[in-house]
């Protein structure tokens, strides 16, 4: 049997709920071998981000080089890239190795409000990384930052998705967790021709730390296995829904989601 592999290029979350920790947990739960290249180390817990310590650009590039020259990968997921210099280095390596199934989670702001992407890096993300990406997965505030549009309605999200597709990315998923619909979270997928909707019940909880990282990592894992973008987004939606519904109750702030809940649910259903 083939061993499917996925590489996360992201920051470390010392609290374990987001970043590479969340990505690797997600890969493992979806039976994909996970690898990592760290862009920054954060001092972080459920109460917020106490410190961000970016790695040298060469250090980031060398980690990716080490993966590319030996292990290779079936998918790449990017998270917190922090600076325009790191973004350019990551894009250069992805292009050099010809990697496909690139999932870009444009991590900009932590749950507690701390900025995780420098302002000038947004332009670099659009110029260098999105043209190499298979799919980009912004939430509504991130989509607003990337497009300059105000997003209030589903129609606004459609316009933003069309705008993002012009950067060269193949698919756009704009997540609905921040919209004003009280009882539903509707994620929107755009493939350049059609819009697809993925709906789940909205859960009232503050324990949503790492949801964006986990969702994008699940898409990457499923693409690594050769599944279609629609199937990958559906699995990611189911994965994160189970992770939010089955709360761990850890920490005193925005707690992490439950990464083993999806497989636990699958086992019960069998």
């Amino acid at each position: 049997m083939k061993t499917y592999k996925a590489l996360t290029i992201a920051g470390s979350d010392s609290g374990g709920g987001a970043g590479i920790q969340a990505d690797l947990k997600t890969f493992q739960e979806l039976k994909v071998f996970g690898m990592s290249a760290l862009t920054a180390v954060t001092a972080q817990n459920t109460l917020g981000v106490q410190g961000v310590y970016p790695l040298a650009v060469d250090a980031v590039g060398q980690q990716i080089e080490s993966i590319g020259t030996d292990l290779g990968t079936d998918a790449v997921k990017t998270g917190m890239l922090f600076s325009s210099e790191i973004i350019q280095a990551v894009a250069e390596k992805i292009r050099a190795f010809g990697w496909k199934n690139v999932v870009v989670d444009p991590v900009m702001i932590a749950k507690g409000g701390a900025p995780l992407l420098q302002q000038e890096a947004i332009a670099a993300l659009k110029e260098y990384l999105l043209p190499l990406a298979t799919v980009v997965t912004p939430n509504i505030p991130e989509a607003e930052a990337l497009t300059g549009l105000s997003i209030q309605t589903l129609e606004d999200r459609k316009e933003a998705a069309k705008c993002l597709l012009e950067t060269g990315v193949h698919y756009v998923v704009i997540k609905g967790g921040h919209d004003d619909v009280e009882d539903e979270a509707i994620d929107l997928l755009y493939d350049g021709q059609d819009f697809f909707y993925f709906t789940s019940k909205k859960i009232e909880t503050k324990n949503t730390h790492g949801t964006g990282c986990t969702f994008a990592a699940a898409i990457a894992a499923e693409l690594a296995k050769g599944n279609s973008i629609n199937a990958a987004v559906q699995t990611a939606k189911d994965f994160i829904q189970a992770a939010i519904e089955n709360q761990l109750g850890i920490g005193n702030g925005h707690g992490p989601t439950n990464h083993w809940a999806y497989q636990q649910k699958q086992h019960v259903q069998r």
Side-chain angles (χ1 to χ4, degrees), residues 7-251:
L7 167 65
T8 170
I9 306 171
S12 168
D13 171 8
S14 56
I20 62 152
Q21 285 85 349
D23 296 343
L24 292 174
K25 291 172 187 177
T26 303
F27 294 161
Q28 186 76 11
E29 289 296 320
L30 292 172
K31 298 178 173 57
V32 171
F33 182 78
M35 302 163 290
S36 64
L38 267 67
T39 58
V41 173
T42 69
Q44 188 174 168
N45 54 29
T46 67
L47 297 174
V49 179
Q50 291 80 44
V52 178
Y53 307 94
L55 270 68
V57 175
D58 287 349
V60 177
Q62 187 57 67
Q63 290 175 83
I64 301 170
E65 185 78 15
S66 295
I67 301 300
T69 54
D70 178 26
L71 295 153
T73 190
D74 299 302
V76 178
K77 182 261 179 182
T78 68
M80 186 183 79
L81 300 178
F82 187 72
S83 70
S84 56
E85 292 82 9
I86 289 176
I87 288 169
Q88 290 183 55
V90 167
E92 184 180 304
K93 294 297 183 184
I94 290 172
R95 185 184 293 108
F97 287 113
W99 284 333
K100 308 299 181 186
N101 297 324
V102 178
V103 180
V104 175
D105 179 22
V107 178
M108 296 180 181
I109 300 171
K111 279 288 186 294
L116 298 175
L117 185 69
Q118 294 178 339
Q119 188 62 35
E120 65 269 21
I122 295 174
L125 191 76
K126 292 166 68 175
E127 181 178 354
Y128 298 105
L129 193 56
L130 290 190
L132 302 175
T134 305
V135 57
V136 61
T137 63
N139 58 32
I140 289 173
E142 290 163 349
E144 288 181 329
L146 287 168
T147 63
L149 301 174
S150 173
I151 301 174
Q152 304 294 329
T153 66
L154 195 58
E155 288 303 314
D156 291 340
R157 264 201 275 169
K158 289 181 178 180
E159 289 305 311
K162 291 176 182 177
C163 184
L164 284 170
L165 206 78
E166 292 175 1
T167 63
V169 63
H170 295 296
Y171 304 98
V172 178
V173 176
I174 301 182
K175 297 170 290 190
H178 287 76
D179 66 19
D180 294 328
V181 180
E182 290 185 5
D183 57 348
E184 289 184 330
I186 304 171
D187 296 339
L188 175 75
L189 166 64
Y190 182 52
D191 66 1
Q193 292 185 321
D194 298 309
F195 292 97
F196 303 90
Y197 306 94
F198 300 82
T199 304
S200 61
K201 181 183 177 183
K202 191 173 281 189
I203 308 297
E204 281 301 318
T205 177
K206 64 177 182 178
N207 297 321
T208 56
H209 181 56
T211 49
C213 304
T214 299
F215 180 78
I219 292 175
E222 293 302 299
L223 291 178
K225 292 187 281 190
N227 291 320
S228 69
I229 184 65
N230 291 65
V233 173
Q234 185 61 66
T235 296
K237 184 73 168 174
D238 294 341
F239 190 98
I240 198 62
Q241 186 70 13
I244 294 172
E245 285 180 348
N246 297 274
Q247 298 184 38
L248 296 170
I250 294 173

